[in-house]
Amino acid sequence: MAIFSLTSPILAIETTCDETACAILSPEGAILAETVHTQSGHAALGGVVPEIAARAHLALLPDIVAETLGKSGLALAEVGAFAACTGPGLIGGLIVGSNYAKGLAVALGRPFLAVNHIEAHALTARLPGLFAHDIKFPYLLLLVSGGHCQCIAVKGIGDYEKLGGTIDDAAGEAFDKVAKMLGLGWPGGPALERLAREGHSDAVALPRPLMGREGCDFSFSGLKTAVARQIAPYGMEALPRPVAADIAASFQRCVCDVMADRARHALALLPKAQSLVVAGGVAANGAIRTALEALADEAGIPFVAPPLRFCTDNAVMVGWAALETIRAYQDAGQALEDGIPTAPRPRWPLTEMVPPGNAM
């Protein structure tokens, strides 16, 4: 049974949704090479089709791994360990990526580490060189993407507490569905943000679900319904662009207000938070970043938003999460052996993670 060490580069793979990605990191976390391919064929279908995504991962992954190795200047035999996200995500993609990484590990006699996709997002802010200051535990993570919308207390490696989450749609899903209503296509988030710049954020009266309520859960279903009611009088006619822009701006403003309110309640539940960190694809939205930065200033803590390329799914975050885990086990005086559960899991709550010091 192979034992992990921090003496050789690690190769990581990400295939949880529609990004096929590979990265190679040094033992210290320096990015030696990375490749990300975003599948484009789903746009015509209005969203990611899991079976098509899995087949694309299977076709793309060998070339992407070879390309990443070429960029790094390393031979495959020089890789000391392999990692892949094994959940949560689309099961077909998880099977492809994790089995490919495990196959390489077995062939070379190297260890393999199963990485939690949400944990990878949670730890991205700690990637070396991103910020002038180190991101210390504990911190509040606001994870906002097409599949997730959660407030998470990040207390340490493997030590997480979910403070709140969506009770229906994730924020990214709401953006995409409203964008589709407005005739903007898929993925809709970036297009809606661009259109919103042309509109007035107070032009359309829309609800702000759960705003002001106790706790830090989210709900966007009612907001989507309210947008649909605004569009309904136009029937099958295309919306006049000024009307569409006002709806987009008003919707985005509601989401920003709700995000800030829910994060404010989450910070009250984590009074020792050292930072407010945002991650996930929706974290690329400039209006949401501005609202959360204002909240962090109000709370007197740093606002941390990774570069846009690390907000969306990527393999660098997978490799870094693996390195953080290996280092945490070493610091706890425990040997991390290849053999931890590696079966792909479409659902894998962070609350099921175990801090290294508590691992058996």
Side-chain angles (χ1 to χ4, degrees), residues 67-341:
E67 179 181 347
T68 309
L69 283 166
K71 291 176 182 177
S72 72
L74 296 172
L76 185 59
E78 296 178 87
V79 174
F82 295 87
C85 275
T86 60
L90 301 179
I91 188 62
L94 295 173
I95 291 172
V96 171
S98 61
N99 281 348
Y100 194 89
K102 283 188 278 188
L104 293 174
V106 170
L108 294 171
R110 304 288 195 269
F112 167 80
L113 185 64
V115 173
N116 183 298
H117 179 77
I118 302 177
E119 182 175 40
H121 275 301
L123 298 176
T124 296
R126 289 170 49 84
L127 190 69
L130 287 190
F131 304 101
H133 60 285
D134 293 335
I135 309 302
K136 303 290 188 182
F137 300 121
Y139 55 84
L140 175 66
L141 170 71
L142 182 56
L143 177 61
V144 283
S145 67
H148 304 283
C149 191
Q150 301 179 36
C151 290
I152 300 168
V154 182
K155 302 177 181 179
I157 307 302
D159 189 4
Y160 309 99
E161 180 183 358
K162 181 179 175 182
L163 303 176
T166 182
I167 60 177
D168 40 56
D169 299 332
E173 182 181 358
F175 266 94
D176 285 340
K177 288 182 177 178
V178 169
K180 187 175 182 179
M181 293 181 203
L182 296 174
L184 300 178
W186 182 92
L192 189 147
E193 183 181 7
R194 289 191 295 270
L195 180 61
R197 297 189 189 111
E198 302 175 23
H200 299 88
S201 62
D202 58 353
V204 182
L206 294 172
R208 287 159 170 75
L210 299 185
M211 188 165 168
R213 301 276 188 90
E214 290 186 2
C216 47
D217 285 334
F218 300 85
S219 172
F220 295 105
S221 180
L223 177 56
K224 287 190 316 177
T225 300
V227 170
R229 287 173 178 162
Q230 292 290 330
I231 296 172
Y234 293 88
M236 299 301 294
E237 297 179 14
L239 286 176
R241 190 168 182 89
V243 173
D246 283 347
I247 292 174
S250 299
F251 166 78
Q252 182 174 260
R253 173 67 179 275
C254 287
V255 174
C256 290
D257 290 349
V258 168
M259 288 283 183
D261 176 76
R262 303 287 80 196
R264 181 180 291 106
H265 282 239
L267 285 172
L269 297 174
L270 189 65
K272 294 184 179 180
Q274 301 295 301
S275 306
L276 171 59
V277 177
V278 64
V282 181
N285 182 286
I288 289 177
R289 286 188 177 220
T290 298
L292 294 175
E293 185 172 14
L295 172 63
D297 289 342
E298 174 188 312
I301 58 176
F303 172 66
V304 179
L308 299 185
R309 69 190 181 102
F310 293 135
C311 287
T312 54
D313 292 345
N314 64 89
V316 170
M317 69 179 189
V318 181
W320 175 244
L323 290 173
E324 286 258 62
T325 300
I326 297 168
R327 186 174 291 108
Y329 269 81
Q330 288 188 347
D331 291 345
Q334 294 178 293
L336 177 60
E337 297 180 345
D338 182 6
I340 61 174

